[in-house]
Amino acid sequence: MEKKDLIAIIIPVYNRAHLIGETLDSILAQTYQNWECIVVDDGSTDATEAVVLHYQERDARISYYQRPSHYPKGANACRNYGLEKSNGDYVHWFDSDDLMHHEKLRLKMKHAFTYQADVVVDTHSHSSNPVNTSAYPVTSFSSSTFYIDFILGKKPVITNDVMLKRSIVGQHRFDEQLHKAQEYEFLSRVFQQALTYCFLEVALSFYRPSVDSISKAKPKKQAVNLIYLSKKLQRSHPQHSEIIAKTERQARKTYKSLVKVNALSLIFKNFHFFRKSYHKSSLVFLFLIFYNLITKKGFDQMKPTTANGL
């Protein structure tokens, strides 16, 4: 018999009065019943609070919290606060505008039990078409170095798809300064330990893109986040050539996007970061910046020819 461990579902929310009800309905419909749902409001100005409190009255497994004022605004702070308020043996962060397949939690717990998995990952779909959950590929393995493949993008994972054993999260928390690729950075740290993974090739979440997503950022803000993330990865993995090469490729993409919008101050603020990604001297790179800004060309010719730049 499967052990009925408690699953903590943690949902950050901001101005989702029109969507959060459907999300909570999909959780209430779960065939696996031993869950708690922690909804943390990031300061909504619509009727989100009233909607969630209505659901809380209907089912005591749902709890509504306001993000405390001493936590910075943002989805990551809400995710972290939700973790502090939760009790689950497993943790499953979820987004406030998406939907769960009614078998999502049961199937993930089934495989967590079967494979003694620390991490269980399913997939998601942009289509609401029915999903066949009777047969699908399952891959399970143990590794202490999977985080490398994950960082390199060989096996991407998003927030809605991953369920973690609480014990492996430990003191790790979402980086509250980061507003893009949050789960990527968070999981890159959590995965740096010997873990058993289980990947289910079945879409158990319906992803609903939203123009006002809690995690959306404007182009320049996105660039700031990508620079911050790349620098953090470089500091964490200075000896890993493939990871350094990946951050340098991202740096070059970010530099190109900033040149196209004439973001000169941001380019010069991160002058040496961008210079190193192209493997150029300061004088040469300074000349190239002005050439790029004037012509909006020449980026491909600037790419380094060393192994790290490939």
Side-chain angles (χ1 to χ4, degrees):
M1 180 180 292
E2 298 172 24
K3 183 182 177 184
K4 296 296 183 181
D5 286 330
L6 180 66
I7 302 174
I9 305 163
I10 301 171
I11 303 176
V13 65
Y14 178 73
N15 286 352
R16 283 290 182 270
H18 59 302
L19 292 171
I20 187 65
E22 290 180 84
T23 299
L24 294 175
D25 284 337
S26 75
I27 293 171
L28 288 169
Q30 291 298 301
T31 54
Y32 186 90
Q33 294 288 300
N34 196 23
W35 51 262
E36 59 175 351
C37 181
I38 313 294
V39 181
V40 183
D41 196 328
D42 196 33
S44 295
T45 56
D46 65 357
T48 293
E49 179 178 6
V51 173
V52 180
L53 287 177
H54 171 71
Y55 277 87
Q56 181 177 271
E57 290 174 5
R58 285 177 53 191
D59 196 309
R61 293 174 296 177
I62 297 173
S63 299
Y64 173 82
Y65 295 94
Q66 289 278 356
R67 172 185 49 78
S69 59
H70 63 278
Y71 277 72
K73 184 172 176 57
N76 283 352
C78 293
R79 292 181 179 112
N80 290 338
Y81 184 67
L83 180 64
E84 299 304 321
K85 304 303 292 185
S86 69
N87 297 293
D89 305 291
Y90 287 83
V91 181
H92 204 312
W93 282 278
F94 203 69
D95 290 341
S96 60
D97 47 2
D98 298 329
L99 304 175
M100 287 189 179
H101 187 281
H102 66 279
E103 289 274 59
K104 182 179 179 78
L105 299 184
R106 186 188 73 80
L107 292 174
K108 295 183 91 161
M109 280 306 304
K110 171 188 172 183
H111 292 293
F113 178 79
T114 299
Y115 295 98
Q116 293 296 293
D118 302 297
V119 182
V120 184
V121 183
D122 60 292
T123 65
H124 57 277
S125 173
H126 293 267
S127 168
S128 57
N129 293 334
V131 176
N132 179 12
T133 59
S134 60
Y136 48 85
V138 177
T139 304
S140 183
F141 59 90
S142 296
S143 174
S144 60
T145 58
F146 172 74
Y147 73 93
I148 297 173
D149 283 347
F150 174 73
I151 291 173
L152 294 176
K154 296 178 181 179
K155 197 75 171 176
V157 175
I158 69 167
T159 308
N160 285 358
D161 296 347
V162 62
M163 182 177 78
L164 305 173
K165 190 175 286 186
R166 189 186 195 91
S167 59
I168 74 167
V169 176
Q171 298 303 309
H172 294 293
R173 296 295 183 268
F174 283 86
D175 187 330
E176 295 171 0
Q177 297 183 58
L178 192 61
H179 301 282
K180 185 177 177 62
Q182 303 100 313
E183 68 266 53
Y184 171 78
E185 191 280 330
F186 171 72
L187 293 172
S188 74
R189 289 182 279 116
V190 173
F191 290 168
Q192 290 183 52
Q193 52 187 309
L195 300 172
T196 298
Y197 299 83
C198 187
F199 284 84
L200 318 180
E201 297 302 322
V202 58
L204 299 177
S205 296
F206 172 43
Y207 178 71
R208 299 189 289 180
S210 178
V211 294
D212 59 341
S213 169
I214 195 170
S215 300
K216 293 284 185 182
K218 295 179 180 179
K220 286 186 182 180
K221 190 172 183 179
Q222 287 187 3
V224 170
N225 279 280
L226 289 169
I227 293 166
Y228 173 84
L229 174 60
S230 294
K231 288 180 177 179
K232 190 170 185 179
L233 288 172
Q234 288 178 353
R235 289 193 301 270
S236 300
H237 309 280
Q239 304 303 318
H240 199 287
S241 60
E242 286 185 281
I243 293 176
I244 295 299
K246 179 181 175 63
T247 63
E248 290 181 350
R249 287 193 297 273
Q250 181 59 64
R252 293 193 291 271
K253 290 179 183 177
T254 304
Y255 169 76
K256 184 176 180 180
S257 71
L258 291 175
V259 167
K260 289 186 178 298
V261 296
N262 296 314
L264 192 59
S265 62
L266 197 50
I267 291 171
F268 276 106
K269 183 178 180 180
N270 296 280
F271 177 86
H272 290 293
F273 169 70
F274 290 127
R275 177 187 66 77
K276 290 176 182 177
S277 76
Y278 281 103
H279 301 189
K280 306 297 183 186
S281 69
S282 295
L283 188 60
V284 169
F285 190 61
L286 183 63
F287 169 79
L288 290 170
I289 287 175
F290 288 107
Y291 174 78
N292 296 150
L293 286 167
I294 294 167
T295 67
K296 300 296 188 286
K297 298 189 299 185
F299 303 102
D300 289 340
Q301 290 76 14
M302 291 168 59
K303 289 180 181 179
T305 56
T306 60
N308 268 10
L310 294 179

